[in-house]
Structures are given as structure tokens and as C-alpha cells.
Amino acid sequence: MDIILPNSIERILLDEATIQQRVQQMADIISTDYAGLRNEEFLLVGVLKGSFIFMADLARRLTVPHRVDFIALSSYEDSAAATGAVRMIMDTRADVARRHVLIVEDIVDTGYTLQYLYRIFGARQPASLRTAVLLSKPDRREVEVTVDYLGFQIPDVWVVGYGLDYADRFRTLPYIAMLKPSVYEK
Ligand code: PRP
């Protein structure tokens, strides 16, 4: 059966089966790497809003005990703030000290968000700090950041679906798709 695409969608970049297969592979690797930890020792931290679908699928495929927590960030949009400046608007409920922390992100673009998260969480004495990121746009990188578990590298195109949005739309599409340039060039 053909998938009927919303009008604003140019084409599907990563279909549902491809994403699910990759998320399963990532979950298998992460489950191996974090084997032997107790529930309270392994904390997944999702970065809202974009990571909520990836987090749900990844976490449900892990075979090791873990806790789930979330943070919310916002970019400074006023011109007085430095480029790429990020601030936290909701912190984790759990204390990250002495826990193995895995930050779960939908996408790394310029790298400023992950750089901020490494700095903030790194200062809180976690037992370890790693990142699981579904998508990376290497062409957009402005600061070098380490991604420990990466799903896919993609070109510099505007993508939506599977948590990613354009003006808070399209987040719940089950696939990742390119937006028609006419949508964001208006
Ligand atoms: C997106 C994404 C990352 C960040 C990556 O969030 O979820 O957090 O941008 O970009 P960077 O590498 O250039 O810092 P966004 O600000 O779109 O918020 P959202 O997750 O709520 O959609």
C-alpha cells in the first residue's frame, strides 16, 4: 500500500522499517555495553521535545535495567546572547551523580546543544556520560562533539517526523522526511 504523504513533504528520507531496524541495532549495542548495571545505576536522559519518540522506542528495546528521565532546553533567541547559547528550562528529577548517564537526542546539528549538555552533566560527577543520537548532519557542525551511539548521518536538508518538527508540526510521522523547500522559504 502506498503511503499518502502530507502536502508539505517532499519525500521520505528514512522509512519506518529502516528506522526501527537501526534503533534495534543501537539498543542491542547499548544493552551489551551497559550489561550488569542495576536499575538505579543507568539513567537515560531524553532531551525534549525532539527525542520523545526515539527515547520511547530505544528504551523499550533495551534488555538491561534502566531509568528514564527528561530535560527541556531552549535556545536564546535574542541577539544579545552568544550564537548557539542554550539554557535549561526543565532539569532531570533524578540526581545524576554516580549514575551512568546516557543522553538521548534526536539530532546533532551545529553541536552546541550536545556541547552544553556535556558541560552541564559532566560537572555533576556522573559515573559515566555518553550520548545516543539518532541523526547527525555533519555538514552543519560548528563545534566538535562526540557521539557514542549514532543512528544515521544525513545531508543538510530540513527533516521532520519521528520526533522532529517544523513549527511544532509533523513530530508524530512514523518516518523521517524532507520538507518541501517552499514550506520554510516563505
Ligand atoms: C533540536 C534537537 C537538538 C538540537 C540540535 O532541538 O532536538 O536538541 O536542535 O541542534 P544543535 O546541534 O544545532 O544544537 P530544537 O531546538 O529544534 O527543539 P525541539 O527538540 O523541542 O524540537
Side-chain angles (χ1 to χ4, degrees), residues 20-30 58 61 151:
Q20 293 301 330
Q21 191 181 31
R22 185 70 184 130
V23 173
Q24 181 66 57
Q25 289 171 343
M26 294 175 80
D28 290 343
I29 295 166
I30 292 166
L58 183 73
R61 291 172 189 275

Side-chain angles (χ1 to χ4, degrees), residues 47-182:
V47 184
L48 294 173
K49 299 179 192 176
S51 74
F52 80 113
I53 305 266
F54 176 45
M55 170 66 113
D57 283 349
L58 183 73
R60 285 181 295 175
R61 291 172 189 275
L62 293 179
T63 56
V64 289
H66 58 274
R67 286 188 185 183
V68 173
D69 213 322
F70 290 94
I71 56 166
L73 302 178
S74 177
S75 311
Y76 285 103
E77 274 157 21
D78 61 288
S79 54
T83 313
V86 177
R87 74 192 160 101
M88 192 174 296
I89 53 178
M90 185 188 85
D91 207 339
T92 56
R93 286 199 205 172
D95 186 358
V96 306
R98 296 175 299 284
R99 294 200 158 102
H100 294 273
V101 175
L102 182 62
I103 293 168
V104 178
E105 260 284 33
D106 55 337
I107 189 164
V108 54
D109 189 339
T110 62
Y112 286 118
T113 303
L114 273 192
Q115 184 185 54
Y116 169 84
L117 292 170
Y118 274 118
R119 184 165 56 78
I120 294 290
F121 283 95
R124 296 179 177 180
Q125 278 90 42
S128 68
L129 180 60
R130 291 185 190 167
T131 50
V133 181
L134 186 68
L135 304 174
S136 171
K137 286 183 184 173
D139 297 345
R140 294 263 309 161
R141 204 75 83 249
E142 290 181 23
V143 286
E144 276 315 308
V145 282
T146 302
V147 176
D148 298 288
Y149 306 99
L150 177 66
F152 304 93
Q153 286 201 351
I154 59 166
D156 181 16
V157 292
W158 197 306
V159 286
V160 294
Y162 203 73
L164 293 115
D165 74 308
Y166 171 70
D168 247 338
R169 293 166 64 203
F170 311 113
R171 284 195 200 273
T172 52
L173 294 174
Y175 47 78
I176 291 167
M178 286 168 56
L179 212 52
K180 285 181 182 160
S182 58

